[in-house]
Amino acid sequence: MDLHVRLGEGGLVEQIFGQVAEQIGRGVLPVGTVLPSSRELAARLGVSRATVVAAYERLGARGLIRSRPGVGTLVVGEQSPIAATEGDSPLRARRIWDAEVLAVPELTAPVAEFNFAVGVPARTEFPFARWRALLNDQLRTRTEANYADPAGSPRLRDALARHLVVSRGVRIAPEQLVITTGAQQAFDIAARVLLEPGDTVAVEDPGYLPAYRSFLAYGANVVGVPVDSEGLVVDQIPDRTRLVYVTPSHQFPLGMPMSEARRTALLAWAAEHDAAIVEDDYDSEFRFTGRPLTPLQAIDSEGRVLYVGSFSKTLLPALRVGFLGIPATLGEAARRAKFVADYGTAGHLQAALAAFIEEGDLAHHLRRMRRSYERRHDLLINTLRENFTDVLDPIESSGGTHLAALLTPAQPSDTELAARALKAGVNLGTISRWGIERRSPNGFVFGYGAIPVDRIPAALAVLRRVI
Ligand SMILES: Cc1ncc(COP(=O)(O)O)c(C=O)c1O
């Protein structure tokens, strides 16, 4: 048979193996094909016979070829998948991992003509070319090649501290910042640093389930506390609570900011009960209206607030970069916890991000995206107010990348309506999905990060026909 193998630079065995495997995979060499003998192929390629034998052995080990006495070496089939060894081990995970709430949710938005996926920023507007150039610079200089300070690169922490003062009015010294794998790891570190298993943690209900999961998996007793139009209902926090998790700038998922009165009340409550507060400021850079709300961290005179941020909304979730700003007394413990968890966040990524902030790219990107999201937000809320008054009541929010709207009382469940909308080509989130302990309000969450502004009218026209 005619076997084409072209040898270039690099390992000979690898090349022969790779090219034959590829041809089998593509069906160029169908099952049943007899390959040339190792002696023949070695002679043809001008390599030693041992080289061809080694390549054939690897192909055999992958289940791609088999030698049959009297016939030769045969292609026997596509690479068979490696079977999982399910059910044959006496080992069982801790009971907590059976909890339904810890199941990994569907992370990719369903394919739909119109996409109001929640928590997805505008991928198409991310400056990929610039990011690639910055990463390449890091790779070229070969500086970030070793283990480094687990709390994060001093350069990035410095740039971030400056950025936070300007963009959020938050004053956190670089030494008080830990660079994390997304906001998610910041919750995990907060739990490791502050909680004993069994301690009570209060979270907003409805609220951000990934944070809830983090505290739950750590072994905390996590309690959902209701939210109203002013945010977390502070006087319903259980007395014994050690840590309160809140999203004061833009309550997740409902979207209203926490009122000034509630902020003051929450800080006073924490002081009185000797508790910590984890403030998740995940999308506050995108603020369109009203005067900027001061983060809890900035009005906390007692040092009880741990400030969490993320680049998942401002840049891309796939970068997996976030940060934790901590009171100085917890700094070393948090650094140790990050070290124990993963030794530190990837060096090249941190260096590229530091340059991205220092050279003004982040500020520029934020300005651009703020305008872009504001246009989407305004069009969305105005259309809902004009054409959906009988069915939907949007919740005022001052920014972010999603808008929630309550269904009027006579409407079916948000889950049922969202399923109908998806069938008609509109993907959108539901509020009920984010309930912790109590029944959530019935309504939709419209993420507007993934949908271009000019698609919004058509999307809402389709939705209007469904509800
Ligand atoms: C409330 C809230 N916090 C934090 C995040 C970001 O999480 P991470 O940085 O782990 O991607 C999100 C993203 O969807 C969010 O909605």
Side-chain angles (χ1 to χ4, degrees):
M1 64 114 341
D2 210 359
L3 178 63
H4 296 279
V5 174
R6 246 183 223 141
L7 297 179
E9 294 281 310
L12 297 171
V13 175
E14 185 61 42
Q15 291 185 58
I16 298 168
F17 164 78
Q19 290 180 38
V20 177
E22 199 218 329
Q23 290 177 43
I24 294 174
R26 283 195 292 123
V28 177
L29 296 174
V31 173
T33 307
V34 181
L35 297 185
S37 71
S38 53
R39 192 184 308 273
E40 188 190 338
L41 186 59
R44 251 168 49 194
L45 298 175
V47 299
S48 76
R49 186 169 166 224
T51 300
V52 176
V53 169
Y56 277 11
E57 277 173 355
R58 280 185 63 184
L59 289 161
R62 289 285 183 95
L64 294 173
I65 61 173
R66 189 180 304 146
S67 70
R68 190 170 301 158
V71 182
T73 305
L74 284 170
V75 173
V76 287
E78 283 145 34
Q79 190 172 349
S80 52
I82 298 169
T85 55
E86 203 184 315
D88 62 358
S89 166
L91 304 180
R92 293 292 175 269
R94 281 168 53 219
R95 287 271 306 282
I96 185 87
W97 295 109
D98 292 335
E100 194 45 44
V101 69
L102 290 178
V104 180
E106 184 54 57
L107 293 169
T108 44
V111 179
E113 194 180 351
F114 302 106
N115 193 6
F116 288 110
V118 182
V120 181
R123 177 170 54 94
T124 49
E125 300 196 42
F126 179 75
F128 278 102
R130 176 75 181 128
W131 185 254
R132 192 167 57 236
L134 290 174
L135 267 180
N136 276 342
D137 281 351
Q138 301 313 320
L139 295 172
R140 212 173 295 123
T141 55
R142 304 179 189 193
T143 43
E144 305 296 338
N146 249 318
Y147 295 119
D149 188 340
S153 105
R155 189 176 150 207
L156 174 57
R157 288 192 285 161
D158 198 59
L160 183 57
R162 287 172 203 286
H163 169 73
L164 289 175
V165 174
V166 177
S167 81
R168 299 295 300 126
V170 165
R171 278 186 181 278
I172 304 178
E175 314 80 72
Q176 287 171 259
L177 284 169
V178 177
I179 306 300
T180 57
T181 303
Q184 194 60 26
Q185 192 181 44
F187 309 141
D188 186 68
I189 291 179
R192 289 176 193 243
V193 166
L194 288 168
L195 299 176
E196 299 291 350
D199 276 353
T200 298
V201 171
V203 300
E204 298 164 325
D205 190 2
Y208 185 54
L209 277 170
Y212 170 83
R213 292 189 188 105
S214 196
F215 299 122
L216 191 73
Y218 185 75
N221 163 38
V222 194
V223 179
V225 174
V227 292
D228 63 16
S229 60
E230 293 189 60
L232 187 83
V233 181
V234 171
D235 56 20
Q236 292 205 31
I237 304 172
D239 276 346
R240 58 190 182 283
T241 301
R242 282 280 296 133
L243 187 155
V244 185
Y245 165 82
V246 277
T247 49
S249 296
H250 190 224
Q251 202 274 335
F252 191 92
L254 298 177
M256 67 288 173
M258 185 183 273
S259 70
E260 300 265 356
R262 282 288 166 78
R263 287 167 193 253
T264 315
L266 178 57
L267 288 168
W269 188 95
E272 200 178 311
H273 293 80
D274 193 22
I277 298 169
V278 171
E279 175 175 32
D280 180 0
D281 211 17
Y282 63 107
D283 70 358
S284 59
E285 276 94 346
F286 301 125
R287 192 181 166 77
F288 319 136
T289 54
R291 95 194 136 85
L293 283 167
T294 316
L296 284 173
Q297 196 279 346
I299 49 171
D300 164 31
S301 57
E302 291 219 351
R304 294 190 174 275
V305 175
L306 283 74
Y307 182 79
V308 174
S310 171
F311 287 95
S312 289
K313 297 287 157 82
T314 48
L315 297 176
L316 292 176
L319 295 181
R320 307 307 306 129
V321 185
F323 54 91
L324 174 65
I326 33 171
T329 48
L330 304 179
E332 186 50 29
R335 185 166 168 263
R336 292 179 184 190
K338 170 70 180 170
F339 182 62
V340 165
D342 67 3
Y343 256 61
T345 295
H348 296 119
L349 190 65
Q350 295 193 62
L353 184 53
F356 195 79
I357 301 175
E358 284 165 0
E359 293 172 28
D361 296 280
L362 178 63
H364 174 76
H365 183 63
L366 288 178
R367 270 197 305 278
R368 229 166 58 82
M369 294 318 298
R370 198 175 294 130
R371 281 196 296 272
S372 176
Y373 290 145
E374 183 171 9
R375 281 203 300 277
R376 302 174 202 203
H377 168 271
D378 291 354
L379 180 59
L380 181 59
I381 198 164
N382 291 338
T383 314
L384 293 182
R385 282 190 184 133
E386 271 162 35
N387 301 342
F388 289 74
T389 36
D390 54 327
V391 281
L392 281 176
D393 186 10
I395 299 175
E396 285 284 346
S397 88
S398 49
T401 58
H402 72 264
L403 175 82
L406 300 176
L407 280 155
T408 51
Q411 296 302 314
S413 77
D414 53 14
T415 321
E416 185 187 326
L417 288 173
R420 271 196 236 160
L422 185 59
K423 261 200 197 127
V426 181
N427 172 44
L428 78 180
T430 58
I431 297 178
S432 63
R433 181 175 163 207
W434 304 100
I436 304 282
E437 282 175 17
R438 42 189 59 72
R439 250 180 101 93
S440 284
N442 197 31
F444 294 138
V445 189
F446 295 88
Y448 43 81
I451 189 161
V453 68
D454 56 4
R455 307 269 296 153
I456 291 177
L460 293 181
V462 173
L463 184 64
R464 185 65 261 212
R465 286 199 289 279
V466 174
I467 51 171

